[in-house]
Amino acid sequence: GAVVSQHPSWVICKSGTSVKIECRSLDFQATTMFWYRQFPKQSLMLMATSNEGSKATYEQGVEKDKFLINHASLTLSTLTVTSAHPEDSSFYICSAKVARGTDTQYFGPGTRLTVL
Amino acid sequence: GDSVTQMEGPVTLSEEAFLTINCTYTATGYPSLFWYVQYPGEGLQLLLKATKADDKGSNKGFEATYRKETTSFHLEKGSVQVSDSAVYFCARPQGGSEKLVFGKGTKLTVNP
């Protein structure tokens, strides 16, 4: 149980285009999802916390107009990188909590974004 | 603030060697504690967790005991395998929020 998927697993795009990454909880309803960014050989950096039906809460220094997050249902959250540039190239990972009040997060397999 | 500190690697071991990866946490409250593992090119997988003092989390031969007196949650395995090669992250909740705070990660390489 507690499986989280991401799509696509990798994407290459041209500079200036927008890319959408999907995060789905496959066997549970996730009231809260999280989006992380991971640079090579580094730990995870939390970008934003996404609650179903409400606006995402972004961490300090993360541009909300650059990284659009939508959590329209209890099983799906999307991250759209708008007007992507090479510096946005990274590994993006989502996670989800099974229920409010629990601490455990279950992670997706990640999406490798390369912007040319 | 709330944080975890884990030993920095990389750690290189031979197969069947004993593994310890140290993790200490800031003693604010009594948080749940986690170990996550990340295999190359993949996301994180929950390896084990403990929710209160003296609890022992275990999975796949790995163990970690929640030690309140030393504010530690060290990861151990008695006999590592090549397939254990990965990056291991210690984590705890950030007090008063739903966020997790991660250590910097420890890369483990196990050679045959």
Side-chain angles (χ1 to χ4, degrees):
Chain A
V3 179
V4 177
S5 71
Q6 279 184 245
H7 178 79
S9 55
W10 60 269
V11 57
I12 301 173
C13 69
K14 294 182 179 180
S15 187
T17 60
S18 295
V19 174
K20 180 184 285 188
I21 302 170
E22 292 185 349
C23 176
R24 293 182 185 273
S25 55
L26 298 185
D27 52 0
F28 66 98
Q29 293 185 329
T31 54
T32 306
M33 289 184 170
F34 303 85
W35 286 96
Y36 294 85
R37 184 173 179 176
Q38 186 180 34
F39 293 100
K41 299 183 180 181
Q42 294 190 23
S43 189
L44 282 72
M45 182 191 80
L46 179 65
M47 299 174 66
T49 302
S50 168
N51 288 296
E52 186 265 338
S54 62
K55 291 184 178 180
T57 303
Y58 290 82
E59 294 299 300
Q60 192 172 9
V62 178
E63 299 176 62
K64 61 181 180 182
D65 295 330
K66 172 78 170 173
F67 299 100
L68 300 178
I69 293 172
N70 183 280
H71 193 160
S73 78
L74 288 171
T75 59
L76 173 64
S77 177
T78 60
L79 167 68
T80 301
V81 183
T82 62
S83 186
H85 289 93
E87 58 266 29
D88 298 324
S89 298
S90 193
F91 194 53
Y92 292 88
I93 307 174
C94 72
S95 71
K97 291 177 64 175
V98 173
R100 293 191 191 279
T102 62
D103 292 336
T104 306
Q105 293 182 22
Y106 295 92
F107 286 78
T111 297
R112 173 75 59 194
L113 170 63
T114 302
V115 185
L116 302 177
Chain B
D2 297 325
S3 66
V4 291
T5 303
Q6 64 180 103
M7 61 182 286
E8 295 193 27
V11 174
T12 302
L13 297 172
S14 298
E15 205 164 23
E16 299 183 2
F18 184 84
L19 168 71
T20 299
I21 301 177
N22 291 340
C23 172
T24 57
Y25 63 93
T26 50
T28 51
Y30 299 98
S32 297
L33 298 170
F34 306 88
W35 277 101
Y36 283 89
V37 58
Q38 184 178 32
Y39 298 102
E42 300 183 11
L44 274 67
Q45 298 178 22
L46 177 64
L47 181 59
L48 54 84
K49 68 176 183 179
T51 58
K52 60 183 187 295
D54 299 325
D55 266 2
K56 177 185 285 187
S58 62
N59 185 26
K60 299 181 181 180
F62 290 90
E63 293 183 340
T65 301
Y66 192 140
R67 303 276 188 206
K68 187 177 66 173
E69 61 276 13
T70 54
T71 63
S72 65
F73 193 55
H74 304 324
L75 183 67
E76 297 182 335
K77 186 173 185 180
S79 177
V80 293
Q81 305 300 312
V82 173
S83 57
D84 295 327
S85 298
V87 180
Y88 293 81
F89 292 94
C90 184
R92 62 158 288 170
Q94 184 173 2
S97 78
E98 297 184 284
K99 307 173 190 178
L100 282 179
V101 177
F102 289 88
K104 292 186 176 181
T106 302
K107 182 177 181 179
L108 169 67
T109 301
V110 180
N111 294 317

